[in-house]
Amino acid sequence: MSFYIGREASKYIHGFAARGVHYIHRPGRTLQDVGFFLLPELGQDKGYISETVFTTLFLSFVLWTFHPFIFKIKKIYTVLIWCRVLAFLAACQFLRIITFYSTQLPGPNYHCREGSKLATLPPPNSVLEVLLINFPWGMLYGCGDLIFSSHMIFSLIFVRTYHKYGARRFIKLCAWLAVIAQSFLIVASRKHYTVDVVVAWYTVNLVVFFVDKQLPELPDRTSAALILPLSKDSKAKEENHKFLNANSGDPAEWV
């Protein structure tokens, strides 16, 4: 229960901060960007491609963490893994809030450019309007919360966690390739500047590296099964097995 409350509180605080920076966002000329120069613009009608990659990574990670409950294979501790992920996310989102409030860049996304009605927000009519953060539209059409990319935060944390605790090398390779592809797609979709993605790559990896060292390591599920107390049925089966083995030798030894 405390894990769920902490996760939702972290999401709300970040959403509240992102909504707040939208009030002070001022659209302007798109900044010069090497990624914009090298990557062709996908356009508004193809912006869903990067979101599809992100959603695939997100859902795949969630399904993997909960697969022990579906297949009854206790190889990982779902709650402990999500506690680690929450710690990584909270640290990264805290740094992100400090960063995008320090300097507001003109948003490169289409709804954040000059001439768009969504680029700026009128002053709020009440405190309640700010607290409700206009969910979910305030999350989807925000402006000003650029450095560094929130999508990259989630994707990198998920992939790094699976890389450490997952078992299949092929899936690990595909996951890293998907994150790399998402990095290019975010820039090509003009949702972020290249600096937003680059900063996310080294910041998230450094945060995970240092925070992970402060957290206790997960116990090994495979070895844990060996030290569990035997049930009555297990004891009976074990005694029966020993009895059969004792009587399976040379008949001359039975006398």
Side-chain angles (χ1 to χ4, degrees):
M1 185 65 179
S2 59
F3 161 74
Y4 178 80
I5 295 175
R7 183 188 66 179
E8 294 303 314
S10 176
K11 287 170 56 179
Y12 176 79
I13 292 172
H14 178 264
F16 178 77
R19 179 69 173 177
V21 80
H22 195 168
Y23 283 105
I24 58 178
H25 172 259
R26 294 296 176 265
R29 183 179 179 182
T30 303
L31 302 179
Q32 184 174 341
D33 189 282
V34 64
F36 292 0
F37 177 75
L38 295 176
L39 297 175
E41 188 170 351
L42 289 179
Q44 284 183 281
D45 57 331
K46 295 181 181 179
Y48 68 91
I49 299 178
S50 64
E51 294 298 328
T52 302
V53 175
F54 173 76
T55 303
T56 302
L57 286 170
F58 186 93
L59 294 179
S60 299
F61 181 80
V62 172
L63 291 175
W64 170 71
T65 56
F66 285 96
H67 84 274
F69 299 99
I70 301 173
F71 298 103
K72 308 299 181 182
I73 302 174
K74 303 299 182 181
K75 289 185 177 180
I76 59 173
Y77 290 86
T78 301
V79 174
L80 295 181
I81 282 184
W82 274 104
C83 286
R84 298 178 85 86
V85 168
L86 178 62
F88 301 150
L89 288 173
C92 289
Q93 299 286 32
F94 176 74
L95 293 176
R96 182 173 189 263
I97 292 171
I98 294 176
T99 306
F100 67 62
Y101 265 102
S102 299
T103 302
Q104 291 82 49
L105 304 179
N109 210 335
Y110 301 100
H111 66 269
C112 297
R113 298 178 182 178
E114 290 181 316
S116 173
K117 295 181 179 180
L118 300 174
T120 57
L121 292 178
N125 296 320
S126 64
V127 177
L128 185 62
E129 182 180 340
V130 179
L131 294 177
L132 292 178
I133 66 175
N134 191 26
F135 184 83
W137 305 113
M139 306 289 289
L140 297 175
Y141 295 100
C143 298
D145 56 328
L146 292 172
I147 303 177
F148 41 97
S149 170
S150 183
H151 282 59
M152 292 302 302
I153 291 176
F154 280 86
S155 298
L156 286 169
I157 289 176
F158 291 166
V159 172
R160 279 189 61 102
T161 303
Y162 182 81
H163 184 87
K164 183 174 182 179
Y165 299 107
R168 301 184 180 277
R169 292 185 178 180
F170 178 72
I171 296 180
K172 293 179 183 180
L173 176 62
C174 291
W176 281 113
L177 291 176
V179 176
I180 294 172
Q182 180 184 275
S183 302
F184 289 105
L185 289 170
I186 288 175
V187 177
S189 301
R190 304 304 188 252
K191 296 178 180 179
H192 278 278
Y193 292 108
T194 305
V195 65
D196 307 336
V197 175
V198 172
V199 171
W201 267 96
Y202 63 74
T203 303
V204 174
N205 281 293
L206 287 173
V207 167
V208 172
F209 176 78
F210 286 109
V211 174
D212 191 56
K213 281 191 171 185
Q214 306 302 317
L215 299 175
E217 189 51 70
L218 297 184
D220 187 3
R221 270 287 194 183
T222 56
S223 61
L226 299 177
I227 62 175
L228 291 176
L230 295 174
S231 63
K232 293 182 179 180
D233 292 339
S234 299
K235 288 181 178 179
K237 290 180 181 179
E238 184 178 357
E239 291 175 358
N240 186 43
H241 180 69
K242 289 180 179 179
F243 177 77
L244 293 175
N245 288 340
N247 294 329
S248 61
D250 189 353
E253 297 177 358
W254 298 352
V255 180

